[in-house]
Amino acid sequence: MTCLCKFVPDEVLARLANDTSIKNFDRDALQRTLAVDQEMRRVREATASLIASSAMISMSLVPATKKPLIKLYDCKHGAILPGAKIASPQSSSDGTVKRTFKNTTDVAKFYKKEFGRNSLDGQGMDLLSSVHYGQNYNNAFWNGQQMTYGDGDNNIFIDFTKGNDVVAHELTHGLTQFTSQLAYANEPGGLNESMSDVFGSMFRQWQANQTVDKADWLIGSDIMGPAAKAKGFTCLRDMANPAAKHALAPQPSHYSKYSPGMDPHVSSGIPNNAFYRAATAIGGKSWQKAGKVWFQALTGFGPAPQLTMKQFADRTRTVATQLFAAQPAVASAIDKAWVAVGL
Amino acid sequence: MARRPDDKRIKIEKLGGFAGFGSSAHLRSEGEVELEKLPEPDRDKVAKLLDRDAKDHPSSLSQFVYRLTWEEDGKARSVDVGEDELPASVVAAVKDTLI
């Protein structure tokens, strides 16, 4: 039997963390405390994940000024993580390594500069990435502790590190893990996937310094292989037109099409399209207004693993009126975007 | 005792991942293995996975899930397992295709 001794109950921490009368700085601290508290419970209950979880908790003790280190590993086409440490990834002659280092560094800068977030956990945690994973591996993933990239089969997909949106997408799963802790099934699963697509696309636009009218709003367009292109697929997902024929993985764009149990990669089309509609209606650069609202709605309310799409939509409506009180057009655009997708 | 399918054939379907294999995506990844033809350690590992409760689903943030389907007592049964739980010989049995 495990003993869980706590000075402040979770429900009290959660209530205080959501109390808008408390300063943002203090609320952030409460949210971090709550997240650590809940993580400690999981550690006690799941001894199998003891080592990894303990490392996560210990990171929260590091001063908030710590700068994240970008660390790369080479799996050399094996499937054992993390692989061999790469000494100087920034100057590697391997394009995959150099590119991954650059994009991961830029994602950390993006979150710090535009959203004031010090790495994924807010505490400057180091960002670990393994490249050349597996044989003809058509995937990239965040496993709860690190990023992993396959080289693709050079038929359907090419090297997954070639997609800057792919890098930001997977790292954003880490951000979600350390903040709202959205589950990975049903509506919160669709939201979880959507947050990664939204910030993935936003990061792509940020790197190119694009305004919303210049953005392609495509996910995975840089990793499509020759066989996929030959069939007319130009991307995995299209946030502007989720059901598009050129999308290898078409999605619904209206909540009426949602059904429980739907794959998160499918249901994410609904909130994806809402973000696209909001950002393009507001205009300018997506990360400056719509992105700020989405970030606060994702990270500013403490853990909410079972958050529904409607609840998230309502959060953005509330946050928009708070962050952009002098610009009611922002909240209006966001409201209309959600209404258009049935929320 | 670990489960042994009637006809010793296991259909494997790879699902999920960043691209969403097996969903509405134009992507499928399927294959089949004969349990008895797998190397012994792999065979035992897979046989134990078949004993898992069908309602247990691995949590996967863009990692693949593998659905193993087999016949037992004349009925089709299936179980979902994480990619890191399967031996390489089973993972290698699926082929990614465009549809």
Side-chain angles (χ1 to χ4, degrees):
Chain A
M1 183 180 163
T2 55
C3 173
L4 187 60
C5 306
K6 296 189 294 181
F7 189 70
V8 183
D10 279 356
E11 59 268 29
V12 174
L13 282 173
R15 193 170 65 244
L16 293 172
N18 289 323
D19 187 342
T20 53
S21 66
I22 296 175
K23 284 188 294 186
N24 276 346
F25 176 83
D26 296 331
R27 289 170 60 199
D28 285 348
L30 286 162
Q31 283 155 13
R32 283 197 297 273
T33 304
L34 187 57
V36 169
D37 206 25
Q38 292 182 343
E39 188 58 32
M40 286 177 74
R41 184 191 303 124
R42 275 199 288 273
V43 167
R44 288 180 170 93
E45 291 174 349
T47 52
S49 62
L50 179 63
I51 295 170
S53 299
S54 296
M56 211 177 283
I57 290 165
S58 68
M59 281 189 288
S60 68
L61 303 174
V62 176
T65 52
K66 179 191 174 297
K67 195 175 172 187
L69 297 176
I70 311 300
K71 298 177 178 176
L72 264 82
Y73 299 82
D74 189 347
C75 290
K76 299 176 181 176
H77 305 290
I80 296 173
L81 293 174
K85 178 98 187 277
I86 299 167
S88 301
Q90 64 274 30
S91 55
S92 173
S93 58
D94 181 337
T96 298
V97 171
K98 199 169 181 178
R99 182 168 50 245
T100 305
F101 181 85
K102 163 85 168 85
N103 280 331
T104 308
T105 303
D106 278 2
V107 171
K109 280 181 191 168
F110 169 64
Y111 275 121
K112 178 73 176 164
K113 180 168 183 274
E114 304 302 339
F115 305 104
R117 182 84 181 174
N118 188 14
S119 190
L120 306 181
D121 65 345
Q123 303 288 305
M125 73 177 278
D126 295 341
L127 299 176
L128 280 60
S129 302
S130 296
V131 298
H132 301 310
Y133 179 83
Q135 300 274 352
N136 299 319
Y137 191 69
N138 280 329
N139 202 18
F141 63 85
W142 163 262
N143 70 355
Q145 288 142 38
Q146 69 156 93
M147 288 294 312
T148 304
Y149 302 93
D151 290 339
D153 60 3
N154 284 310
N155 182 43
I156 302 173
F157 295 107
I158 56 172
D159 187 342
F160 276 65
T161 66
K162 290 193 172 176
N164 54 358
D165 51 350
V166 177
V167 175
H169 173 109
E170 297 303 335
L171 284 165
T172 301
H173 279 312
L175 174 70
T176 300
Q177 173 185 318
F178 282 101
T179 54
S180 60
Q181 299 176 13
L182 293 168
Y184 205 62
N186 298 317
E187 292 200 34
L191 279 173
N192 193 325
E193 266 304 310
S194 177
M195 294 304 114
S196 285
D197 276 355
V198 162
F199 285 93
S201 177
M202 221 186 302
F203 171 68
R204 183 176 171 83
Q205 294 168 37
W206 180 82
Q207 265 197 332
N209 195 28
Q210 282 176 329
T211 50
V212 290
D213 55 317
K214 302 287 186 220
D216 61 19
W217 297 98
L218 304 177
I219 301 295
S221 61
D222 294 333
I223 59 166
M224 305 307 287
K229 286 181 179 173
K231 284 202 167 196
F233 299 121
T234 60
C235 63
L236 267 177
R237 299 181 278 275
D238 185 340
M239 295 175 66
N241 181 10
K245 285 187 176 172
H246 59 251
L248 184 54
Q251 303 171 291
S253 58
H254 196 276
Y255 188 67
S256 61
K257 305 288 185 192
Y258 173 80
S259 59
M262 189 176 263
D263 186 320
H265 296 90
V266 178
S267 59
S268 58
I270 301 160
N272 274 3
N273 192 240
F275 182 79
Y276 160 78
R277 287 172 180 273
T280 51
I282 292 165
K285 291 170 176 170
S286 60
W287 59 91
Q288 292 179 337
K289 289 177 183 169
K292 295 273 190 299
V293 172
W294 253 245
F295 181 85
Q296 182 63 16
L298 173 67
T299 66
F301 292 79
Q306 297 306 321
L307 192 71
T308 65
M309 291 190 187
K310 177 71 166 63
Q311 287 170 329
F312 183 81
D314 287 343
R315 274 188 185 183
T316 64
R317 289 176 167 109
T318 303
V319 169
T321 59
Q322 292 168 344
L323 290 184
F324 298 99
Q327 299 170 64
V330 173
S332 173
I334 288 172
D335 177 55
K336 283 177 183 167
W338 285 115
V339 169
V341 301
L343 291 159
Chain B
M1 186 179 158
R3 226 167 232 178
R4 297 284 164 167
D6 290 347
D7 68 357
K8 301 177 179 56
R9 283 176 192 277
I10 299 172
K11 184 186 163 197
I12 308 151
E13 187 179 9
K14 184 168 77 178
L15 305 168
F18 178 73
F21 275 84
S23 61
S24 59
H26 300 280
L27 287 166
R28 291 292 180 272
S29 188
E30 295 171 345
E32 195 174 87
V33 292
E34 287 188 44
L35 197 60
E36 298 305 322
K37 288 187 179 174
L38 292 174
E40 190 171 346
D42 293 358
R43 186 166 64 226
D44 292 344
K45 196 171 184 179
V46 172
K48 282 178 186 164
L49 290 171
L50 303 188
D51 278 338
R52 180 175 292 180
D53 190 327
K55 285 180 282 190
D56 289 345
H57 291 283
S59 175
S60 62
L61 287 163
S62 296
Q63 281 187 277
F64 290 127
V65 168
Y66 284 77
R67 180 161 296 157
L68 309 181
T69 304
W70 72 99
E71 290 273 333
E72 189 177 292
D73 300 329
K75 292 179 184 171
R77 296 182 183 274
S78 67
V79 67
D80 290 349
V81 302
E83 63 179 301
D84 48 2
E85 299 178 279
L86 279 176
S89 59
V90 179
V91 169
V94 298
K95 183 172 171 51
D96 296 353
T97 54
L98 280 171
I99 58 168

